[in-house]
Amino acid sequence: MPHDDADAAALPSLRATSWAVLGLLSFGEELSGYDLKKWADWSLRFFYWAPSYSQIYSELRKLEEIGYATSQIVNKDDVRGKRIYQITAEGEVAVARWAAEAPVDPAVLKHGVMLRMWLGHASDPDRLRAMLEEHRDESEKMRVRAEVDTVGASNEPGWAFPEMVLRWSERYYADERDRAEMMLTELGQAVAKRGSTSEQPSARRSSEELRQHKA
């Protein structure tokens, strides 16, 4: 479907968090900042991240300023003066365009546990083992939470696509759990191999090998 002149204008330069908040509103409900935080914790945190309350309210103000959302203060659930937000027609067009047209950033992995493992020669094996065990157990907890939330999403036809992503999240954390378990076995082998030599990692040798690899 061709865009009219208004639709064809360049999308505003917004952070991904803005589009995520607008995306939550695009499911058609009027939501408070508190509701949006709960929804983000329920869904977004498994595959992207869950913004803080302050970030959510900051993005909501920005979305109102550019006309993508509106708000009103209502008495709801015995709470006086509760501000709720709703996406505008312009906001619906914009979030649909962003989802379809904006470049997709490559996935960036910032894995704190793996960074510590990479520096294992400078750490204590028992501490490394404890970190891997903690990561394995936390991954299993996240897998269970994603599984539970998937069941919740399956009961709402409007959440068919979030349900699909939650299933992906469940598999992702199962893989994280299994990889951590595998590394616990490999850790003993790495410690034994490291203990068989007193030689320290050579920065000079690594630099030369890197130059050869680039060549």
Side-chain angles (χ1 to χ4, degrees):
M1 178 184 299
H3 299 300
D4 59 28
D5 291 341
D7 292 342
L11 290 170
S13 179
L14 297 174
R15 290 190 293 264
T17 304
S18 293
W19 294 112
V21 171
L22 190 62
L24 289 171
L25 290 175
S26 73
F27 286 92
E29 295 194 31
E30 290 183 306
L31 299 170
S32 67
Y34 176 76
D35 295 329
L36 286 163
K37 174 60 176 171
K38 287 198 301 183
W39 281 36
D41 288 344
W42 175 77
S43 181
L44 288 176
R45 68 176 179 141
F46 289 110
F47 62 92
Y48 196 70
W49 72 305
S52 65
Y53 282 110
S54 62
Q55 290 171 318
I56 287 174
Y57 284 111
S58 174
E59 300 303 340
L60 285 170
R61 287 193 295 270
K62 185 179 303 180
L63 292 172
E64 278 199 279
E65 288 174 1
I66 61 178
Y68 286 176
T70 60
S71 70
Q72 60 175 324
I73 298 177
V74 299
N75 296 333
K76 186 177 181 182
D77 299 329
D78 298 324
V79 178
R80 299 187 63 183
K82 183 176 184 179
R83 184 176 291 276
I84 56 176
Y85 298 82
Q86 187 173 32
I87 194 170
T88 64
E90 186 180 357
E92 290 177 345
V93 171
V95 75
R97 280 190 58 200
W98 180 83
E101 301 173 10
V104 179
D105 295 330
V108 177
L109 181 62
K110 297 175 67 174
H111 206 305
V113 176
M114 290 305 104
L115 182 58
R116 269 67 170 189
M117 298 303 299
W118 181 69
L119 288 168
H121 63 276
S123 187
D124 175 66
D126 290 339
R127 177 60 185 141
L128 295 175
R129 179 171 296 277
M131 280 192 291
L132 280 174
E133 290 173 344
E134 182 179 356
H135 177 60
R136 176 199 60 195
D137 296 344
E138 184 60 28
S139 295
E140 173 60 10
K141 290 178 183 178
M142 291 293 287
R143 185 201 67 78
V144 171
R145 291 167 185 161
E147 181 182 31
V148 170
D149 288 349
T150 300
V151 174
S154 68
N155 296 323
E156 173 54 58
W159 284 83
F161 289 102
E163 177 190 354
M164 180 176 64
V165 176
L166 285 166
R167 291 190 187 281
W168 174 90
S169 301
E170 182 184 346
R171 293 191 294 269
Y172 171 83
Y173 285 106
D175 289 342
E176 277 290 289
R177 175 202 62 199
D178 294 343
R179 284 194 292 266
E181 188 65 43
M182 184 181 300
M183 287 196 75
L184 282 166
T185 300
E186 295 173 341
L187 178 61
Q189 300 169 355
V191 171
K193 183 176 181 180
R194 175 71 178 149
S196 67
T197 176
S198 59
E199 182 181 0
Q200 295 293 325
S202 171
R204 181 181 297 278
R205 184 175 65 239
S206 298
S207 297
E208 291 173 352
E209 291 172 350
L210 180 60
R211 285 195 294 270
Q212 292 173 2
H213 176 72
K214 287 184 176 180

Short mmCIF file of all heavy atoms in Angstrom, two decimals, residues 131-189:
data_model
loop_
_atom_site.label_atom_id
_atom_site.label_comp_id
_atom_site.label_asym_id
_atom_site.label_seq_id
_atom_site.Cartn_x
_atom_site.Cartn_y
_atom_site.Cartn_z
N MET A 131 30.25 -19.14 39.39
CA MET A 131 29.58 -18.24 38.45
C MET A 131 28.81 -19.04 37.40
O MET A 131 27.68 -18.69 37.04
CB MET A 131 30.60 -17.32 37.78
CG MET A 131 31.02 -16.14 38.64
SD MET A 131 31.94 -14.89 37.70
CE MET A 131 33.46 -15.78 37.36
N LEU A 132 29.43 -20.11 36.90
CA LEU A 132 28.74 -20.93 35.90
C LEU A 132 27.51 -21.61 36.48
O LEU A 132 26.46 -21.68 35.83
CB LEU A 132 29.70 -21.99 35.35
CG LEU A 132 30.69 -21.54 34.27
CD1 LEU A 132 31.66 -22.67 33.94
CD2 LEU A 132 29.95 -21.09 33.01
N GLU A 133 27.62 -22.09 37.70
CA GLU A 133 26.48 -22.73 38.34
C GLU A 133 25.35 -21.73 38.57
O GLU A 133 24.17 -22.04 38.36
CB GLU A 133 26.91 -23.36 39.66
CG GLU A 133 27.81 -24.58 39.48
CD GLU A 133 28.36 -25.10 40.80
OE1 GLU A 133 28.29 -24.35 41.80
OE2 GLU A 133 28.88 -26.25 40.82
N GLU A 134 25.72 -20.52 38.99
CA GLU A 134 24.70 -19.48 39.20
C GLU A 134 24.03 -19.11 37.88
O GLU A 134 22.80 -18.93 37.82
CB GLU A 134 25.35 -18.25 39.83
CG GLU A 134 24.37 -17.13 40.14
CD GLU A 134 25.05 -15.93 40.78
OE1 GLU A 134 26.26 -16.00 41.06
OE2 GLU A 134 24.35 -14.92 41.01
N HIS A 135 24.84 -18.99 36.81
CA HIS A 135 24.29 -18.66 35.50
C HIS A 135 23.38 -19.78 34.99
O HIS A 135 22.31 -19.51 34.43
CB HIS A 135 25.43 -18.41 34.51
CG HIS A 135 24.96 -18.13 33.11
ND1 HIS A 135 24.15 -17.07 32.80
CD2 HIS A 135 25.17 -18.81 31.95
CE1 HIS A 135 23.89 -17.08 31.50
NE2 HIS A 135 24.48 -18.13 30.97
N ARG A 136 23.79 -21.02 35.20
CA ARG A 136 22.96 -22.16 34.79
C ARG A 136 21.61 -22.13 35.51
O ARG A 136 20.55 -22.28 34.89
CB ARG A 136 23.68 -23.46 35.12
CG ARG A 136 22.89 -24.74 34.84
CD ARG A 136 23.48 -25.90 35.61
NE ARG A 136 23.45 -25.66 37.05
CZ ARG A 136 24.16 -26.38 37.94
NH1 ARG A 136 24.95 -27.35 37.55
NH2 ARG A 136 24.06 -26.10 39.23
N ASP A 137 21.64 -21.91 36.83
CA ASP A 137 20.40 -21.91 37.61
C ASP A 137 19.51 -20.72 37.25
O ASP A 137 18.28 -20.86 37.18
CB ASP A 137 20.73 -21.89 39.10
CG ASP A 137 21.48 -23.14 39.55
OD1 ASP A 137 21.47 -24.14 38.81
OD2 ASP A 137 22.09 -23.11 40.64
N GLU A 138 20.11 -19.55 37.01
CA GLU A 138 19.33 -18.37 36.65
C GLU A 138 18.71 -18.55 35.26
O GLU A 138 17.57 -18.11 35.02
CB GLU A 138 20.21 -17.12 36.67
CG GLU A 138 19.47 -15.82 36.39
CD GLU A 138 18.37 -15.53 37.40
OE1 GLU A 138 18.48 -15.98 38.57
OE2 GLU A 138 17.39 -14.85 37.03
N SER A 139 19.44 -19.19 34.35
CA SER A 139 18.90 -19.45 33.02
C SER A 139 17.69 -20.37 33.10
O SER A 139 16.70 -20.18 32.38
CB SER A 139 19.97 -20.08 32.12
OG SER A 139 21.04 -19.18 31.90
N GLU A 140 17.76 -21.36 33.98
CA GLU A 140 16.62 -22.26 34.14
C GLU A 140 15.41 -21.52 34.73
O GLU A 140 14.26 -21.74 34.30
CB GLU A 140 17.00 -23.44 35.04
CG GLU A 140 15.85 -24.36 35.43
CD GLU A 140 15.15 -25.02 34.26
OE1 GLU A 140 15.65 -24.93 33.10
OE2 GLU A 140 14.08 -25.61 34.48
N LYS A 141 15.66 -20.60 35.66
CA LYS A 141 14.56 -19.80 36.20
C LYS A 141 13.91 -18.96 35.11
O LYS A 141 12.67 -18.85 35.04
CB LYS A 141 15.07 -18.89 37.32
CG LYS A 141 15.47 -19.62 38.60
CD LYS A 141 16.00 -18.63 39.63
CE LYS A 141 16.47 -19.34 40.89
NZ LYS A 141 17.04 -18.38 41.89
N MET A 142 14.73 -18.34 34.26
CA MET A 142 14.19 -17.53 33.17
C MET A 142 13.42 -18.40 32.18
O MET A 142 12.39 -17.99 31.64
CB MET A 142 15.32 -16.78 32.47
CG MET A 142 15.96 -15.69 33.30
SD MET A 142 14.83 -14.31 33.64
CE MET A 142 14.80 -13.52 32.02
N ARG A 143 13.91 -19.61 31.93
CA ARG A 143 13.21 -20.52 31.02
C ARG A 143 11.82 -20.84 31.57
O ARG A 143 10.82 -20.81 30.83
CB ARG A 143 14.00 -21.81 30.85
CG ARG A 143 13.37 -22.77 29.81
CD ARG A 143 13.84 -24.18 30.01
NE ARG A 143 13.36 -24.75 31.26
CZ ARG A 143 12.12 -25.20 31.45
NH1 ARG A 143 11.23 -25.16 30.47
NH2 ARG A 143 11.77 -25.71 32.62
N VAL A 144 11.74 -21.12 32.86
CA VAL A 144 10.45 -21.44 33.47
C VAL A 144 9.51 -20.25 33.40
O VAL A 144 8.31 -20.39 33.10
CB VAL A 144 10.66 -21.90 34.93
CG1 VAL A 144 9.31 -22.03 35.65
CG2 VAL A 144 11.41 -23.23 34.98
N ARG A 145 10.04 -19.04 33.67
CA ARG A 145 9.19 -17.85 33.62
C ARG A 145 8.68 -17.61 32.20
O ARG A 145 7.52 -17.24 32.00
CB ARG A 145 9.98 -16.64 34.10
CG ARG A 145 10.29 -16.67 35.60
CD ARG A 145 11.31 -15.63 35.97
NE ARG A 145 11.72 -15.72 37.37
CZ ARG A 145 12.82 -15.21 37.87
NH1 ARG A 145 13.65 -14.54 37.07
NH2 ARG A 145 13.12 -15.35 39.14
N ALA A 146 9.55 -17.81 31.21
CA ALA A 146 9.12 -17.64 29.82
C ALA A 146 8.06 -18.68 29.46
O ALA A 146 7.10 -18.37 28.74
CB ALA A 146 10.32 -17.76 28.88
N GLU A 147 8.22 -19.89 29.97
CA GLU A 147 7.24 -20.94 29.71
C GLU A 147 5.88 -20.56 30.29
O GLU A 147 4.84 -20.72 29.63
CB GLU A 147 7.73 -22.25 30.31
CG GLU A 147 6.79 -23.43 30.09
CD GLU A 147 7.30 -24.70 30.75
OE1 GLU A 147 7.98 -24.61 31.79
OE2 GLU A 147 7.01 -25.79 30.23
N VAL A 148 5.88 -20.07 31.51
CA VAL A 148 4.63 -19.66 32.16
C VAL A 148 3.97 -18.52 31.40
O VAL A 148 2.76 -18.52 31.15
CB VAL A 148 4.89 -19.26 33.62
CG1 VAL A 148 3.65 -18.62 34.23
CG2 VAL A 148 5.33 -20.47 34.44
N ASP A 149 4.77 -17.53 30.99
CA ASP A 149 4.22 -16.38 30.28
C ASP A 149 3.73 -16.77 28.89
O ASP A 149 2.81 -16.16 28.35
CB ASP A 149 5.25 -15.26 30.19
CG ASP A 149 5.48 -14.60 31.54
OD1 ASP A 149 4.70 -14.85 32.47
OD2 ASP A 149 6.45 -13.83 31.68
N THR A 150 4.35 -17.79 28.29
CA THR A 150 3.89 -18.29 27.00
C THR A 150 2.48 -18.84 27.12
O THR A 150 1.62 -18.61 26.26
CB THR A 150 4.84 -19.38 26.47
OG1 THR A 150 6.15 -18.84 26.30
CG2 THR A 150 4.36 -19.92 25.13
N VAL A 151 2.23 -19.58 28.20
CA VAL A 151 0.90 -20.14 28.43
C VAL A 151 -0.11 -19.00 28.59
O VAL A 151 -1.21 -19.04 28.04
CB VAL A 151 0.90 -21.04 29.68
CG1 VAL A 151 -0.54 -21.48 30.01
CG2 VAL A 151 1.79 -22.25 29.46
N GLY A 152 0.28 -17.95 29.32
CA GLY A 152 -0.60 -16.80 29.48
C GLY A 152 -0.92 -16.13 28.16
O GLY A 152 -2.06 -15.76 27.89
N ALA A 153 0.10 -15.98 27.31
CA ALA A 153 -0.11 -15.33 26.01
C ALA A 153 -0.97 -16.19 25.10
O ALA A 153 -1.70 -15.66 24.26
CB ALA A 153 1.25 -15.06 25.36
N SER A 154 -0.91 -17.51 25.25
CA SER A 154 -1.66 -18.40 24.36
C SER A 154 -3.17 -18.26 24.55
O SER A 154 -3.95 -18.66 23.68
CB SER A 154 -1.25 -19.86 24.59
OG SER A 154 -1.66 -20.31 25.88
N ASN A 155 -3.58 -17.69 25.68
CA ASN A 155 -5.00 -17.52 25.95
C ASN A 155 -5.58 -16.24 25.35
O ASN A 155 -6.78 -16.00 25.46
CB ASN A 155 -5.25 -17.52 27.46
CG ASN A 155 -4.89 -18.85 28.10
OD1 ASN A 155 -5.11 -19.91 27.52
ND2 ASN A 155 -4.33 -18.81 29.30
N GLU A 156 -4.72 -15.42 24.74
CA GLU A 156 -5.16 -14.15 24.18
C GLU A 156 -4.80 -14.10 22.69
O GLU A 156 -3.62 -14.02 22.35
CB GLU A 156 -4.49 -12.99 24.92
CG GLU A 156 -4.74 -11.62 24.33
CD GLU A 156 -6.22 -11.32 24.17
OE1 GLU A 156 -6.93 -11.35 25.21
OE2 GLU A 156 -6.66 -11.08 23.04
N PRO A 157 -5.80 -14.18 21.79
CA PRO A 157 -5.50 -14.19 20.35
C PRO A 157 -4.67 -13.00 19.89
O PRO A 157 -3.85 -13.12 18.98
CB PRO A 157 -6.90 -14.18 19.71
CG PRO A 157 -7.79 -14.81 20.74
CD PRO A 157 -7.23 -14.34 22.07
N GLY A 158 -4.86 -11.85 20.53
CA GLY A 158 -4.11 -10.67 20.12
C GLY A 158 -2.63 -10.74 20.43
O GLY A 158 -1.86 -9.91 19.96
N TRP A 159 -2.22 -11.72 21.24
CA TRP A 159 -0.81 -11.87 21.60
C TRP A 159 -0.16 -13.05 20.88
O TRP A 159 0.79 -13.65 21.38
CB TRP A 159 -0.69 -12.04 23.12
CG TRP A 159 -0.86 -10.76 23.85
CD1 TRP A 159 -2.02 -10.17 24.21
CD2 TRP A 159 0.19 -9.89 24.28
NE1 TRP A 159 -1.78 -8.98 24.85
CE2 TRP A 159 -0.43 -8.78 24.91
CE3 TRP A 159 1.58 -9.94 24.21
CZ2 TRP A 159 0.30 -7.73 25.45
CZ3 TRP A 159 2.31 -8.90 24.75
CH2 TRP A 159 1.67 -7.81 25.36
N ALA A 160 -0.66 -13.39 19.69
CA ALA A 160 -0.13 -14.54 18.96
C ALA A 160 1.36 -14.37 18.64
O ALA A 160 2.14 -15.32 18.77
CB ALA A 160 -0.93 -14.77 17.67
N PHE A 161 1.76 -13.18 18.24
CA PHE A 161 3.16 -12.96 17.89
C PHE A 161 4.05 -12.88 19.13
O PHE A 161 5.13 -13.47 19.15
CB PHE A 161 3.31 -11.73 17.00
CG PHE A 161 2.77 -11.94 15.62
CD1 PHE A 161 1.53 -11.42 15.26
CD2 PHE A 161 3.48 -12.68 14.69
CE1 PHE A 161 1.02 -11.64 13.99
CE2 PHE A 161 2.97 -12.89 13.41
CZ PHE A 161 1.74 -12.38 13.07
N PRO A 162 3.64 -12.16 20.20
CA PRO A 162 4.42 -12.25 21.44
C PRO A 162 4.53 -13.68 21.96
O PRO A 162 5.57 -14.07 22.50
CB PRO A 162 3.63 -11.36 22.41
CG PRO A 162 3.00 -10.34 21.53
CD PRO A 162 2.61 -11.10 20.29
N GLU A 163 3.48 -14.49 21.79
CA GLU A 163 3.55 -15.89 22.21
C GLU A 163 4.67 -16.61 21.46
O GLU A 163 5.44 -17.39 22.05
CB GLU A 163 2.21 -16.58 21.94
CG GLU A 163 2.23 -18.07 22.28
CD GLU A 163 0.99 -18.80 21.80
OE1 GLU A 163 0.06 -18.13 21.30
OE2 GLU A 163 0.96 -20.03 21.92
N MET A 164 4.78 -16.35 20.16
CA MET A 164 5.82 -16.98 19.35
C MET A 164 7.21 -16.57 19.85
O MET A 164 8.12 -17.41 19.97
CB MET A 164 5.66 -16.58 17.88
CG MET A 164 6.69 -17.16 16.94
SD MET A 164 6.33 -16.74 15.21
CE MET A 164 6.53 -14.94 15.26
N VAL A 165 7.38 -15.28 20.20
CA VAL A 165 8.67 -14.81 20.69
C VAL A 165 8.96 -15.37 22.08
O VAL A 165 10.11 -15.69 22.41
CB VAL A 165 8.72 -13.27 20.70
CG1 VAL A 165 10.02 -12.77 21.29
CG2 VAL A 165 8.55 -12.73 19.28
N LEU A 166 7.94 -15.52 22.91
CA LEU A 166 8.13 -16.11 24.22
C LEU A 166 8.56 -17.57 24.11
O LEU A 166 9.37 -18.05 24.91
CB LEU A 166 6.85 -15.99 25.05
CG LEU A 166 6.56 -14.60 25.61
CD1 LEU A 166 5.12 -14.51 26.11
CD2 LEU A 166 7.53 -14.25 26.73
N ARG A 167 8.05 -18.27 23.11
CA ARG A 167 8.50 -19.66 22.89
C ARG A 167 9.97 -19.67 22.49
O ARG A 167 10.75 -20.54 22.91
CB ARG A 167 7.64 -20.35 21.83
CG ARG A 167 6.22 -20.61 22.26
CD ARG A 167 5.48 -21.51 21.27
NE ARG A 167 4.08 -21.61 21.62
CZ ARG A 167 3.59 -22.38 22.58
NH1 ARG A 167 4.41 -23.12 23.30
NH2 ARG A 167 2.30 -22.40 22.82
N TRP A 168 10.34 -18.70 21.65
CA TRP A 168 11.75 -18.56 21.28
C TRP A 168 12.59 -18.30 22.53
O TRP A 168 13.66 -18.87 22.70
CB TRP A 168 11.92 -17.42 20.29
CG TRP A 168 13.35 -17.10 19.95
CD1 TRP A 168 14.09 -17.63 18.94
CD2 TRP A 168 14.20 -16.17 20.64
NE1 TRP A 168 15.36 -17.10 18.95
CE2 TRP A 168 15.46 -16.19 19.98
CE3 TRP A 168 14.03 -15.32 21.72
CZ2 TRP A 168 16.53 -15.40 20.39
CZ3 TRP A 168 15.09 -14.54 22.13
CH2 TRP A 168 16.32 -14.58 21.47
N SER A 169 12.10 -17.44 23.42
CA SER A 169 12.82 -17.11 24.65
C SER A 169 12.98 -18.34 25.53
O SER A 169 14.04 -18.55 26.14
CB SER A 169 12.07 -16.02 25.42
OG SER A 169 11.92 -14.85 24.64
N GLU A 170 11.95 -19.15 25.61
CA GLU A 170 12.02 -20.38 26.40
C GLU A 170 13.13 -21.28 25.88
O GLU A 170 13.93 -21.83 26.65
CB GLU A 170 10.67 -21.09 26.34
CG GLU A 170 10.61 -22.36 27.16
CD GLU A 170 9.28 -23.09 26.99
OE1 GLU A 170 8.33 -22.48 26.45
OE2 GLU A 170 9.20 -24.27 27.38
N ARG A 171 13.21 -21.42 24.56
CA ARG A 171 14.27 -22.26 23.97
C ARG A 171 15.65 -21.64 24.18
O ARG A 171 16.63 -22.34 24.43
CB ARG A 171 14.00 -22.47 22.47
CG ARG A 171 12.76 -23.29 22.18
CD ARG A 171 12.68 -23.68 20.71
NE ARG A 171 12.49 -22.53 19.84
CZ ARG A 171 11.31 -22.06 19.45
NH1 ARG A 171 10.19 -22.64 19.88
NH2 ARG A 171 11.22 -21.02 18.63
N TYR A 172 15.72 -20.30 24.08
CA TYR A 172 17.00 -19.62 24.26
C TYR A 172 17.58 -19.89 25.65
O TYR A 172 18.76 -20.22 25.79
CB TYR A 172 16.81 -18.11 24.05
CG TYR A 172 18.03 -17.30 24.43
CD1 TYR A 172 19.09 -17.14 23.54
CD2 TYR A 172 18.14 -16.72 25.69
CE1 TYR A 172 20.22 -16.42 23.89
CE2 TYR A 172 19.26 -16.00 26.05
CZ TYR A 172 20.29 -15.85 25.15
OH TYR A 172 21.41 -15.14 25.52
N TYR A 173 16.76 -19.73 26.68
CA TYR A 173 17.27 -19.92 28.04
C TYR A 173 17.54 -21.38 28.34
O TYR A 173 18.42 -21.70 29.15
CB TYR A 173 16.31 -19.30 29.05
CG TYR A 173 16.39 -17.79 29.05
CD1 TYR A 173 15.39 -17.01 28.49
CD2 TYR A 173 17.52 -17.16 29.57
CE1 TYR A 173 15.49 -15.63 28.47
CE2 TYR A 173 17.62 -15.77 29.55
CZ TYR A 173 16.61 -15.01 29.00
OH TYR A 173 16.73 -13.65 28.98
N ALA A 174 16.82 -22.29 27.69
CA ALA A 174 17.15 -23.71 27.83
C ALA A 174 18.54 -23.97 27.25
O ALA A 174 19.34 -24.72 27.83
CB ALA A 174 16.10 -24.56 27.12
N ASP A 175 18.84 -23.35 26.10
CA ASP A 175 20.17 -23.50 25.50
C ASP A 175 21.25 -22.89 26.39
O ASP A 175 22.34 -23.46 26.55
CB ASP A 175 20.21 -22.83 24.12
CG ASP A 175 19.41 -23.60 23.08
OD1 ASP A 175 19.12 -24.79 23.32
OD2 ASP A 175 19.08 -23.01 22.04
N GLU A 176 20.98 -21.72 26.99
CA GLU A 176 21.93 -21.10 27.91
C GLU A 176 22.21 -22.02 29.09
O GLU A 176 23.37 -22.18 29.51
CB GLU A 176 21.39 -19.76 28.41
CG GLU A 176 21.62 -18.60 27.49
CD GLU A 176 23.08 -18.19 27.41
OE1 GLU A 176 23.64 -17.64 28.37
OE2 GLU A 176 23.69 -18.45 26.35
N ARG A 177 21.17 -22.60 29.64
CA ARG A 177 21.32 -23.53 30.75
C ARG A 177 22.20 -24.72 30.35
O ARG A 177 23.13 -25.09 31.08
CB ARG A 177 19.93 -24.04 31.17
CG ARG A 177 19.93 -25.11 32.24
CD ARG A 177 18.62 -25.88 32.17
NE ARG A 177 18.46 -26.55 30.88
CZ ARG A 177 17.30 -26.98 30.40
NH1 ARG A 177 16.19 -26.78 31.09
NH2 ARG A 177 17.24 -27.58 29.23
N ASP A 178 21.93 -25.29 29.18
CA ASP A 178 22.68 -26.47 28.74
C ASP A 178 24.13 -26.13 28.41
O ASP A 178 25.04 -26.92 28.69
CB ASP A 178 22.00 -27.09 27.52
CG ASP A 178 20.62 -27.66 27.85
OD1 ASP A 178 20.33 -27.85 29.05
OD2 ASP A 178 19.83 -27.89 26.91
N ARG A 179 24.36 -24.95 27.83
CA ARG A 179 25.74 -24.55 27.53
C ARG A 179 26.54 -24.33 28.81
O ARG A 179 27.73 -24.67 28.88
CB ARG A 179 25.75 -23.28 26.66
CG ARG A 179 25.39 -23.53 25.21
CD ARG A 179 25.73 -22.33 24.35
NE ARG A 179 24.89 -21.19 24.65
CZ ARG A 179 23.76 -20.89 23.99
NH1 ARG A 179 23.34 -21.68 23.02
NH2 ARG A 179 23.04 -19.84 24.32
N ALA A 180 25.90 -23.76 29.82
CA ALA A 180 26.58 -23.57 31.10
C ALA A 180 26.95 -24.91 31.72
O ALA A 180 28.04 -25.08 32.28
CB ALA A 180 25.71 -22.76 32.06
N GLU A 181 26.04 -25.87 31.63
CA GLU A 181 26.31 -27.21 32.16
C GLU A 181 27.49 -27.86 31.43
O GLU A 181 28.35 -28.50 32.04
CB GLU A 181 25.06 -28.08 32.02
CG GLU A 181 25.15 -29.43 32.71
CD GLU A 181 25.26 -29.31 34.22
OE1 GLU A 181 24.54 -28.50 34.82
OE2 GLU A 181 26.09 -30.04 34.80
N MET A 182 27.53 -27.65 30.12
CA MET A 182 28.63 -28.20 29.34
C MET A 182 29.95 -27.55 29.73
O MET A 182 30.99 -28.21 29.85
CB MET A 182 28.37 -27.99 27.84
CG MET A 182 29.40 -28.61 26.92
SD MET A 182 29.02 -28.30 25.16
CE MET A 182 27.41 -29.09 25.04
N MET A 183 29.93 -26.24 29.97
CA MET A 183 31.16 -25.53 30.33
C MET A 183 31.65 -25.92 31.71
O MET A 183 32.86 -25.86 31.98
CB MET A 183 30.94 -24.02 30.26
CG MET A 183 30.85 -23.49 28.84
SD MET A 183 31.06 -21.69 28.75
CE MET A 183 32.82 -21.54 29.00
N LEU A 184 30.75 -26.36 32.59
CA LEU A 184 31.19 -26.83 33.90
C LEU A 184 32.08 -28.06 33.75
O LEU A 184 33.05 -28.23 34.48
CB LEU A 184 29.98 -27.17 34.77
CG LEU A 184 29.27 -25.96 35.39
CD1 LEU A 184 27.91 -26.36 35.95
CD2 LEU A 184 30.14 -25.35 36.49
N THR A 185 31.76 -28.91 32.78
CA THR A 185 32.62 -30.06 32.48
C THR A 185 33.92 -29.61 31.84
O THR A 185 35.00 -30.07 32.20
CB THR A 185 31.88 -31.03 31.54
OG1 THR A 185 30.68 -31.49 32.16
CG2 THR A 185 32.76 -32.23 31.22
N GLU A 186 33.82 -28.68 30.91
CA GLU A 186 35.01 -28.20 30.21
C GLU A 186 35.93 -27.41 31.13
O GLU A 186 37.14 -27.33 30.88
CB GLU A 186 34.60 -27.34 29.02
CG GLU A 186 33.84 -28.11 27.95
CD GLU A 186 33.29 -27.20 26.87
OE1 GLU A 186 33.19 -25.97 27.11
OE2 GLU A 186 32.97 -27.71 25.79
N LEU A 187 35.36 -26.82 32.19
CA LEU A 187 36.17 -26.03 33.11
C LEU A 187 37.25 -26.88 33.76
O LEU A 187 38.41 -26.46 33.86
CB LEU A 187 35.28 -25.40 34.18
CG LEU A 187 35.99 -24.58 35.26
CD1 LEU A 187 36.73 -23.40 34.64
CD2 LEU A 187 35.00 -24.09 36.31
N GLY A 188 36.89 -28.07 34.20
CA GLY A 188 37.89 -28.96 34.80
C GLY A 188 38.99 -29.29 33.82
O GLY A 188 40.18 -29.35 34.20
N GLN A 189 38.66 -29.49 32.57
CA GLN A 189 39.66 -29.79 31.55
C GLN A 189 40.57 -28.60 31.31
O GLN A 189 41.79 -28.75 31.15
CB GLN A 189 38.96 -30.19 30.25
CG GLN A 189 38.07 -31.43 30.38
CD GLN A 189 37.18 -31.65 29.16
OE1 GLN A 189 37.16 -30.83 28.25
NE2 GLN A 189 36.46 -32.76 29.16
#
